[in-house]
Amino acid sequence: MTGIICGTGSYAPSYVMDNNEIATMVETSDEWIRERTGVVTRHIIKDETTVSMACEAATRALADGDVDARELDLIIVSTISSNIILPCTACEVQKELDAEHATCFDMSAACSGFVLAYNTALAYLSGGIYKTALIIGSESLSNLTNWKDRGTCILFGDGAGAAVMRAGEGKTYFPVTCSDGMKGNALTCQSRHTLADTRHMADPEYSIQMDGQAVFKFAVKKVPEAIDETLKKNGVKKEEITWYILHQANSRIVEAVAKRLGEPLEKFPMNLQEYGNTSSASIAILLDEMKRDGRLSGGQKVVIAGFGAGLTWGASIIEWR
Ligand code: ACO
């Protein structure tokens, strides 16, 4: 018994902010951002919230998989940027979908979140505990961004992606996942709920802060290692992998990972040009795009790999049906 993705969906806010607009807020340029990150535009919430985007992506994934919300046993939402703390975002999705039988909880693992949500659902489904699961990555990083810090505000965007999984016959591939809390200082964001008043809302300390070069070095070393280890653990050869779907942080990170793995860049699809870094939503949005445009098809083996704050990282193999 294993877990099989049978439907995907995504949602991106309609407001699109391009690099030129960012250049009106901080000293930067379209050329610099494109060259150093690959990002050209990002979608930014106006009326949407993390909850509303999660609900929309989930509705689309259920429709795509032809799954009734009442069949869901489990809903996991990965997010670090929800508009609500209580109830959890997953319970809000349950309410919106009327998924009355689902057990719901959120997961906070930043840019590794979707991979960890997938692994968690996979464990429940392959273990026979649940039959149908919905996993969602939804982020409004614009709410956590310091729009005066050119080292970070150029990178992030908002959006949500979802996948529906069913238990079914097949091989379960074992993931490789790692965390290193000792290096957590490279990428931080203090909780806005640690102070009793609201003066801190404009304080950069309560926005994302990042040592960009440290994160870059960590990602290009640890992600290929985790992918190699995952392939080895499951007896899968690189030639068998059709796609490596990496967290969409930066095109230079994706290129460096491809080079270290000795695999052609064509096997590493990217959509960060349009979305920027949407943290735990990025892999799910890309999976949905690739399913809809036909790049994903039955029989393919796909690696998904996440990395980010924590530090956390990991890779899993999905056999597409
Ligand atoms: N526009 C123009 N100049 C800039 C900008 C900008 N937006 N940002 C920094 N600079 C300047 C710096 O001030 C510096 O100037 P100096 O040499 O005069 O001091 C120069 O550009 C080089 O700065 P670096 O920080 O060395 O630039 P780098 O090439 O490392 O690029 C970047 C910065 C894009 C942040 C890069 O380090 C990076 O992509 N790191 C990975 C970050 C990432 O992907 N994080 C997310 C992963 S985890 C997650 O998703 C949460």
Side-chain angles (χ1 to χ4, degrees):
M1 192 66 79
T2 189
I4 299 160
I5 294 181
C6 60
T8 61
S10 61
Y11 178 85
S14 54
Y15 180 68
V16 176
M17 183 186 282
D18 66 14
N19 291 342
N20 291 323
E21 187 173 346
I22 296 210
T24 64
M25 297 186 258
V26 289
E27 204 183 322
T28 190
S29 65
D30 176 47
E31 193 191 358
W32 196 97
I33 301 171
R34 280 178 197 246
E35 244 175 47
R36 301 290 181 114
T37 70
V39 180
V40 179
T41 60
R42 68 284 292 146
H43 295 254
I44 301 291
I45 55 169
K46 287 282 187 201
D47 300 323
E48 300 92 343
T49 64
T50 298
V51 169
S52 74
M53 293 191 295
C55 291
E56 191 55 47
T59 302
R60 293 175 186 183
L62 289 171
D64 181 52
D66 200 17
V67 173
D68 190 307
R70 289 193 179 80
E71 291 178 65
L72 292 172
D73 303 307
L74 175 68
I75 301 175
I76 304 174
V77 176
S78 170
T79 184
I80 54 164
S81 54
S82 191
N83 46 305
I84 53 167
I85 293 177
L86 293 175
C88 69
T89 303
C91 280
E92 288 292 287
V93 173
Q94 173 188 36
K95 182 172 68 181
E96 176 72 20
L97 300 179
D98 204 12
E100 56 185 335
H101 304 299
T103 293
C104 306
F105 58 88
D106 290 358
M107 184 175 267
S108 171
C111 307
S112 304
F114 189 76
V115 174
L116 291 170
Y118 172 79
N119 294 344
T120 305
L122 183 67
Y124 276 118
L125 298 174
S126 56
I129 294 170
Y130 297 131
K131 287 194 170 64
T132 312
L134 171 64
I135 54 173
I136 305 167
S138 185
E139 303 285 8
S140 309
L141 294 179
S142 59
N143 283 336
L144 302 179
T145 298
N146 175 2
W147 290 99
K148 290 183 176 149
D149 175 16
R150 67 178 182 171
T152 53
C153 75
I154 57 167
L155 298 171
F156 301 113
D158 302 332
V164 188
M165 297 170 69
R166 280 195 195 278
E169 290 307 317
K171 176 176 170 171
T172 295
Y173 293 90
F174 291 101
V176 168
T177 52
C178 314
S179 304
D180 185 356
M182 274 64 80
K183 298 208 174 74
N185 277 345
L187 188 46
T188 61
C189 184
Q190 297 299 313
S191 168
R192 295 180 185 207
H193 307 280
T194 51
L195 295 183
D197 62 33
T198 54
R199 276 174 303 171
H200 58 288
M201 294 305 274
D203 185 339
E205 195 186 337
Y206 295 89
S207 305
I208 293 172
Q209 297 190 51
M210 182 178 67
D211 178 344
Q213 291 193 1
V215 174
F216 194 97
K217 283 179 197 156
F218 142 72
V220 301
K221 183 171 187 303
K222 294 298 185 184
V223 175
E225 282 176 10
I227 292 174
D228 265 335
E229 207 183 320
T230 310
L231 295 175
K232 206 167 147 196
K233 200 172 182 175
N234 292 286
V236 174
K237 295 191 180 66
K238 283 180 190 154
E239 305 82 80
E240 295 175 59
I241 301 298
T242 311
W243 303 112
Y244 295 91
I245 301 183
L246 269 49
H247 164 50
Q248 300 289 293
N250 181 315
S251 56
R252 289 191 298 145
I253 292 178
V254 178
E255 286 157 13
V257 170
K259 200 170 165 193
R260 285 204 184 194
L261 281 172
E263 285 282 80
L265 193 55
E266 293 70 45
K267 289 170 89 170
F268 294 75
M270 284 188 249
N271 65 2
L272 59 88
Q273 302 86 336
E274 176 183 345
Y275 296 94
N277 176 346
T278 57
S279 193
S280 69
S282 79
I283 291 172
I285 294 173
L286 186 49
L287 274 176
D288 181 48
E289 269 188 12
M290 292 177 68
K291 181 164 190 285
R292 281 189 285 115
D293 68 21
R295 275 179 288 173
L296 283 173
S297 56
Q300 291 178 345
K301 288 192 184 77
V302 175
V303 168
I304 57 171
F307 52 93
L311 298 171
T312 57
W313 65 102
S316 302
I317 299 169
I318 299 173
E319 198 167 320
W320 206 259
R321 302 291 184 95

